[in-house]
Amino acid sequence: MTDNAPASTTAPRTPTPLTLLGTGAMGTALARAWLGAGHPVTVWNRTRARAEPLAAEGATVAASAAEAVAANRLVVVCLLDDASVGEALEGAELTGRDLVNLTTGTPAQGRARAAWAQARGARFLDAGIMAVPPMIADPRSGAYVFYSGSPELFEEHDETLAVPAGTRYVGADPGFAALHDVALLSAMDGMFSGVLHAFALIRREDIVPTDFAPLLVSWLVAMAPAVHKAAEQLESGDHGKDIVSNLAMQVAGNATLLATAEEQGVSAELLTPYTSLMERWLAAGHGDEDTTGMVELLDLRQK
Ligand code: NDP
């Protein structure tokens, strides 16, 4: 594992040549990182004009995906979605290739793509990028990528993969990179839905959003460590130990949140999915506990 290692210090002594399929916003940032670290890079993009600017920076632009795949053993794919990966690689000879899929997908897509690649004679890693393009190759940005699948492939190419962003290998199950990626993104959605609601509450008042933002950030940062306690509760199965703010108190507090939304003329549609879940868990007799046990209500597989 290489966490956010600086590109300048992670390039192997003899930089591994690689192929990159997809020079969209993310693919271009990745290509520039590897080129900047001295890796010979062959690129292909469906719309060739989008790949051509990289030629001036030292990349070889291939005429087809099959030609690009034939150029190097290490093949990195960063396309729009899983369907585009299947489409782009349809005619390519993958035997003996090391295929690293940086395209965002679901865990099931990662597993199916791994079986698909193995059936074609390739080793496979799936990945989930925890960064936006400007964070790539910036060691201070905190950018990293989850990888899962072939441990041998990861071990062999970790140094090269660490050039654009830190690497976190999360297991041999090729679905795990996507699962970690999507779990984090889902948590982010929840956080930003709360942020949007908070801004909506103050929007029509004499409160300057840029004055309010630091308060919001420091509050979210102060609350974030509660995630560790939630994890401990999930591991122990004990949701009633050392409770600071029990569910009954929080449900009572929600009434104030909902009433304030109404007073401010703000829709509560981002709040109510969560507050309703809390009410259901309270009704099920968990008022003395923390909220973590509510995962039971989200578990569709046990129903
Ligand atoms: P872009 O929309 O900029 O680029 C999409 C790329 O996919 C282009 O190269 C496009 O080719 C190609 N493509 C789309 N459909 C097909 C197809 N059917 N066959 C072949 N190629 C196809 O997206 P990004 O580069 O930003 O994203 C690429 C991946 O990176 C996505 O999976 C995204 O989720 C992931 N990612 C992106 C982040 C971001 O902030 N941008 C953050 C984290 C992950 P063409 O130029 O011809 O249209």
Side-chain angles (χ1 to χ4, degrees), residues 16-294:
T16 305
L18 63 102
T19 285
L20 175 70
L21 304 183
T23 57
M26 184 55 85
T28 297
L30 296 169
R32 292 207 162 111
W34 277 307
L35 288 167
H39 291 258
V41 180
T42 299
V43 293
W44 170 83
N45 196 61
R46 182 181 59 177
T47 308
R48 190 184 165 101
R50 242 179 142 184
E52 258 152 14
L54 291 166
E57 297 172 44
T60 302
V61 181
S64 67
E67 184 186 306
V69 169
N72 294 300
R73 190 168 142 219
L74 179 57
V75 177
V76 178
V77 185
C78 188
L79 297 172
L80 186 65
D81 55 16
D82 183 65
S84 51
V85 175
E87 218 170 285
L89 288 173
E90 202 176 85
E93 174 55 62
L94 292 176
T95 309
R97 300 293 116 175
D98 285 340
L99 193 59
V100 180
N101 185 23
L102 294 173
T103 306
T104 304
T106 69
Q109 285 171 341
R111 288 172 186 139
R113 192 54 67 196
W116 176 93
Q118 274 151 22
R120 284 159 181 76
R123 296 195 296 187
F124 183 83
L125 272 183
D126 204 45
I129 305 173
M130 305 313 299
V132 292
M135 293 166 74
I136 298 299
D138 176 356
R140 291 154 306 169
S141 71
Y144 69 88
V145 179
F146 286 120
Y147 292 95
S148 65
S150 166
E152 296 82 17
L153 196 174
F154 181 75
E155 207 167 298
E156 191 172 326
H157 294 296
D158 183 16
E159 217 175 343
T160 300
L161 297 175
V163 167
T167 62
R168 288 176 196 225
Y169 181 75
V170 287
D173 182 333
F176 271 18
L179 187 55
H180 281 72
D181 179 9
V182 172
L184 265 56
L185 293 177
S186 301
M188 182 184 74
D189 269 8
M191 181 183 76
F192 282 127
S193 81
V195 167
L196 197 65
H197 183 82
F199 276 125
L201 288 178
I202 64 147
R203 184 161 170 252
R204 295 195 181 277
E205 306 289 345
D206 189 17
I207 300 172
V208 182
T210 49
D211 290 343
F212 184 68
L215 302 173
L216 202 44
V217 170
S218 58
W219 177 244
L220 292 173
V221 168
M223 290 297 103
V227 173
H228 295 297
K229 189 172 177 196
E232 284 162 17
Q233 289 172 339
L234 285 167
E235 275 180 29
S236 70
D238 182 354
H239 301 287
K241 207 173 130 211
D242 304 329
I243 302 305
V244 179
S245 312
N246 72 28
L247 178 66
M249 184 282 284
Q250 292 195 50
V251 169
N254 284 345
T256 305
L257 267 52
L258 295 168
T260 303
E262 199 175 348
E263 281 176 17
Q264 295 299 104
V266 168
S267 165
E269 65 194 293
L270 292 173
L271 282 186
T272 47
Y274 192 56
T275 57
S276 304
L277 206 70
M278 290 165 93
E279 281 163 27
R280 275 167 60 200
W281 200 232
L282 179 67
H286 300 278
D288 292 339
E289 299 177 2
D290 226 326
T291 53
T292 320
M294 295 197 308

